[in-house]
Amino acid sequence: MDSEDDKERRVTLIERSDKERSFIALSIAVITVSDTRHEADDRSGDTLAKRIEKAGHKVAARRLVRDERGEITGAVEGFVRDEAVDVVITTGGTGFTGRDVTPDALEPLFDKRMDGFSAVFHRISFDKIGVSTIQSRATAGLIGTTFVFVLPGSPGACADAWDHILERQLDYRHKPCNFVEIMPRLDEHLRRGGRSV
């Protein structure tokens, strides 16, 4: 069995930062979905906002909405329509209780679903909380030309998603590939008269 150092070394050989490229700051909106949290105790939103800014990106806005499908979709669709917002990250409502409806509200809006995000998130989460990771329905996708990431409501899950996935994929310098470098091509099917590519 590989040690943690061996695993890290293997990932480092595959993933790297291209020092020749300049960092491109993105505009990222954060939505906390909760019936019980308020701005003063929104630890998950705070966790994401601090990491977004520390990485050099801009927090476009923060919003707190209740666990109501209409409020969730309305907030996300508003940011998707805003050309100044590149990415939307939601936190909360990904479990299995009756009020956990964030994936149910957002997945029907996805033009393209990002199955790999959920798989990698669960792999990382498994290392931290074991099989309890199956109680999350974390997901992601593309709505129009906006990346949308749907994270659990715990600060730890938000930190894991940012630190191990999003920070790298939202950095133009990250190799072998990243989301920033494909952003200019996300609407190419629309520019070609609506034909599928």
Side-chain angles (χ1 to χ4, degrees):
M1 183 125 139
D2 288 344
S3 71
E4 285 302 311
D5 288 340
D6 291 335
K7 289 177 188 175
E8 185 66 30
R9 203 172 298 115
R10 195 169 40 251
V11 169
T12 304
L13 292 174
I14 298 168
E15 295 186 86
R16 62 194 184 286
S17 181
D18 185 342
K19 306 293 186 216
E20 300 294 316
R21 288 184 171 184
S22 297
F23 179 78
I24 297 174
L26 301 178
S27 181
I28 303 172
V30 177
I31 301 171
T32 299
V33 180
S34 176
D35 287 334
T36 58
R37 291 194 188 148
H38 305 282
E39 286 183 29
D41 64 354
D42 179 13
R43 291 179 42 229
S44 296
D46 290 344
T47 296
L48 288 166
K50 287 175 185 169
R51 281 169 161 75
I52 289 166
E53 290 174 344
K54 183 179 178 191
H57 299 295
K58 175 187 172 198
V59 176
R62 284 183 62 181
R63 186 146 314 143
L64 201 83
V65 299
R66 291 178 301 153
D67 287 289
E68 297 287 346
R69 287 181 194 224
E71 288 189 34
I72 297 164
T73 58
V76 170
E77 287 176 327
F79 287 129
V80 167
R81 283 191 300 272
D82 185 342
E83 292 183 11
V85 174
D86 301 304
V87 177
V88 177
I89 303 174
T90 71
T91 172
T94 64
F96 287 95
T97 69
R99 299 289 293 159
D100 290 327
V101 297
T102 308
D104 309 292
L106 297 179
E107 285 181 335
L109 303 179
F110 291 166
D111 294 307
K112 293 187 179 183
R113 188 174 163 150
M114 193 184 307
D115 295 321
F117 174 81
S118 180
V120 173
F121 174 81
H122 284 295
R123 175 63 186 93
I124 292 164
S125 181
F126 180 81
D127 287 344
K128 304 281 178 88
I129 63 171
V131 296
S132 292
T133 188
I134 66 171
Q135 292 191 28
S136 167
R137 296 183 296 144
T139 187
L142 191 63
I143 302 175
T145 59
T146 305
F147 288 106
V148 178
F149 299 93
V150 181
L151 308 182
S154 77
C158 290
D160 289 344
W162 181 267
D163 295 348
H164 299 287
I165 305 171
L166 299 178
E167 183 176 20
R168 295 171 189 173
Q169 280 298 299
L170 298 177
D171 187 337
Y172 180 60
R173 302 166 299 182
H174 181 77
K175 289 291 189 177
C177 59
N178 61 76
F179 289 133
V180 182
E181 65 191 356
I182 64 171
M183 283 179 165
R185 296 179 29 225
L186 295 176
D187 66 349
E188 65 190 2
H189 64 292
L190 301 174
R191 294 191 309 257
R192 293 183 185 170
R195 294 191 316 264
S196 294
V197 186

